[in-house]
Amino acid sequence: MKPKEFIEKLEAGFYDGRLIMLYGESALSAQKNRYTEAVRCFEELYPDREEIKVFSASGRTEIGGNHTDHQHGCVLAAAVNLDVIAIVSFHSEGVIRLKSAGYPADTVDLSDLSIHEEEKGKSASIIRGIASYFVNSGVEIGGFDAYTTSDVLSGSGLSSSAAFEVLVGTIIDKHYNEGKAGAVEIAKIGQYAENVYFGKGSGLMDQMVSSVGGFVLIDFKDNTAPVIENISFDFEKSGYSVCITDTKGSHSDLTDDYVSIPTEMKRVAAFFGKDVLREVSEEEFYSKLPQLREVCNDREILRAAHFFGENKRAVDEAKALAKGSLDEFFGFVRSSGDSSANLLQNLYSAKYPTRQEIPLGIMISKRFLGERGAVRVHGGGFAGTIQAFVPNELVEGYSAEMNRIYGEGSCHILSIRPAGGIEITE
């Protein structure tokens, strides 16, 4: 499709149904402008390209299962309406050229798909890693030129990196592989590129939710073949919105805090001769607490207790949503937040006991919401974001209150997106 044709169809409402599905009706006009601007930028970058396709991949929000995935536990998460989009033109030049708004352009020569040490930590390594996976699987890739722009907030816990990985994987799979890989495999390919080429060890949750879309319950008992269940629940009709607030805490010097959680959980698992807590019997854990305290400290034990409760809670949250019981669901969310605060202890760093932006935000949220909705820490914790389920009639006031405390633009009102990585022009 020619760029002009796409814009004409966009303006004529040809894609309205798909855009409303992804972003909601209130955002339709803004998204049309966004896509049009992206096409214009693509044309300036690659004026000789006559045919385009358009792709999108979403950010994600963790709903339940705080710090359970690295112990092969269960996680409930959802794709959100913030996404990264790409305008793409395919060719047979054996090179991928990709320019992301606000970042330097990346060029990956498909004749050299080896790991480049100097690329680690850069987006070019992700592109190269994903391309290598497809090529090693027997897929012949000719190359493409792309312009991408993202509204997935960096550092928000909404996983902008996974959205980018799923986007690139979807582009290659749809055009060069007839879509044969599918959403689950694309998520695994993104994780492979991040782990091996980018140089960051990560679980599979972020990529999986971004790729599959909607509410997703993921059981990581077998990490190589996670069990994925889509939860059918229309959050748009529930009368609630998901609000993510950036509490503006600094992530600097917190690596030790993040690493300590899986390390300490695995120390408890090791006491029972296991690698991860999912392999440990909860009953045996509690029956042997006296002996366990001789080997592990109390925080390690509390964090293990959080895992056992949170692992079951993620499943219970999914069941509550599936049967449409919001009150029950919100009760589990509140319990999850309390467990993260009291057992997991990831609301602030013990190294900086006076920096408590997340507990402050949770306190303000509870005061504002009263008995309605729910609030909890979002993502890894220690600094960053909180998540609140807010009645729609209170959203404007809640957002204003969060922005008053943390600064304008701190609170982001999200909707749950039913689709993951997709081609808009398909």
Side-chain angles (χ1 to χ4, degrees):
M1 177 181 304
K2 297 187 182 304
K4 182 180 178 181
E5 181 187 356
F6 174 76
I7 292 174
E8 287 175 349
K9 284 189 171 184
L10 193 65
E11 293 174 346
F14 186 83
Y15 297 109
D16 282 8
R18 179 157 287 195
L19 295 179
I20 290 171
M21 179 266 290
L22 295 178
Y23 307 106
E25 191 165 2
S26 63
L28 181 59
S29 178
Q31 288 298 332
K32 283 185 174 183
N33 291 336
R34 179 187 179 217
Y35 277 84
T36 299
E37 177 62 22
V39 173
R40 300 294 190 210
C41 290
F42 175 89
E43 289 182 301
E44 291 181 10
L45 284 167
Y46 313 108
D48 296 331
R49 299 304 179 193
E50 297 182 356
E51 298 288 328
I52 65 168
K53 291 185 178 181
V54 182
F55 297 82
S56 163
S58 71
R60 69 101 185 103
T61 181
E62 174 199 281
I63 307 295
N66 195 213
H67 280 284
T68 56
D69 59 327
H70 50 68
Q71 297 301 299
H72 293 202
C74 297
V75 177
L76 176 66
V80 297
N81 57 320
L82 301 182
D83 67 344
V84 53
I85 65 174
I87 314 300
V88 184
S89 183
F90 296 93
H91 50 67
S92 56
E93 298 172 10
V95 64
I96 294 175
R97 306 180 188 92
L98 189 148
K99 173 71 170 69
S100 295
Y103 295 90
D106 292 307
T107 301
V108 173
D109 186 341
L110 297 175
S111 66
D112 178 12
L113 294 178
S114 61
I115 297 170
H116 289 210
E117 291 297 325
E118 73 280 5
E119 273 185 356
K120 287 194 172 181
K122 300 177 181 178
S123 57
S125 66
I126 295 294
I127 300 168
R128 196 181 302 275
I130 292 172
S132 75
Y133 193 103
F134 277 103
V135 170
N136 291 337
S137 301
V139 178
E140 187 175 339
I141 302 174
F144 58 84
D145 294 341
Y147 172 77
T148 77
T149 181
S150 175
D151 60 10
V152 184
L153 312 163
S154 180
S156 64
L158 298 174
S159 199
S160 56
S161 58
F164 179 78
E165 292 160 13
V166 169
L167 182 73
V168 174
T170 301
I171 290 169
I172 295 174
D173 187 46
K174 290 286 187 182
H175 187 78
Y176 288 112
N177 195 37
E178 300 177 338
K180 292 177 182 176
V184 173
E185 188 66 17
I186 287 172
K188 294 179 181 179
I189 294 169
Q191 183 200 25
Y192 165 80
E194 186 168 311
N195 291 173
V196 178
Y197 279 71
F198 188 83
K200 177 184 177 183
S202 65
L204 188 56
M205 177 186 70
D206 295 348
Q207 294 89 346
M208 193 66 73
V209 180
S210 176
S211 190
V212 173
F215 280 101
V216 183
L217 177 67
I218 309 174
D219 186 341
F220 289 107
K221 185 174 183 179
D222 180 354
N223 219 23
T224 62
V227 177
I228 302 153
E229 179 183 354
N230 283 94
I231 308 301
S232 179
F233 182 78
D234 190 341
F235 206 77
E236 288 295 303
K237 296 180 181 178
S238 71
Y240 285 80
S241 294
V242 183
C243 294
I244 301 293
T245 299
D246 181 0
T247 65
K248 304 298 175 66
S250 172
H251 288 86
S252 63
D253 199 27
L254 293 180
T255 300
D256 291 347
D257 291 290
Y258 294 121
V259 171
S260 70
I261 293 178
T263 300
E264 292 181 8
M265 287 184 176
K266 287 179 179 180
R267 273 180 52 81
V268 174
F271 172 84
F272 296 95
K274 306 296 183 181
D275 293 325
V276 292
L277 286 174
R278 182 63 181 270
E279 301 170 348
V280 176
S281 161
E282 182 179 4
E283 292 74 18
E284 187 179 8
F285 165 76
Y286 281 107
S287 69
K288 292 189 176 179
L289 281 181
Q291 300 95 313
L292 184 59
R293 292 191 71 205
E294 295 177 4
V295 178
C296 298
N297 63 50
D298 290 341
R299 190 176 75 172
E300 292 170 340
I301 293 170
L302 289 172
R303 284 177 164 173
H306 165 82
F307 168 82
F308 289 118
E310 188 74 354
N311 192 49
K312 291 185 293 185
R313 199 155 32 235
V315 176
D316 290 338
E317 287 175 341
K319 290 178 179 178
L321 282 178
K323 64 183 181 182
S325 179
L326 272 181
D327 287 342
E328 188 177 3
F329 169 71
F330 289 145
F332 289 130
V333 174
R334 295 186 196 106
S335 295
S336 174
D338 290 343
S339 182
S340 291
N342 300 322
L343 301 180
L344 187 62
Q345 301 175 42
N346 71 329
L347 269 58
Y348 64 93
S349 172
K351 292 184 291 186
Y352 307 104
T354 61
R355 285 169 27 183
Q356 299 201 21
E357 299 89 354
I358 287 177
L360 178 66
I362 291 174
M363 180 273 290
I364 295 167
S365 299
K366 287 181 176 179
R367 182 174 182 271
F368 187 94
L369 295 173
E371 298 301 315
R372 304 184 67 183
V375 62
R376 49 157 276 187
V377 63
H378 183 244
F382 298 110
T385 55
I386 61 172
Q387 175 192 74
F389 295 89
V390 182
N392 287 339
E393 64 269 24
L394 299 181
V395 164
E396 186 176 343
Y398 177 80
S399 178
E401 180 68 355
M402 291 293 102
N403 290 335
R404 181 178 75 89
I405 303 299
Y406 293 106
E408 198 60 37
S410 298
C411 183
H412 305 277
I413 304 165
L414 309 179
S415 61
I416 305 303
R417 163 174 161 151
I422 63 168
E423 180 187 340
I424 301 295
T425 45
E426 188 173 32

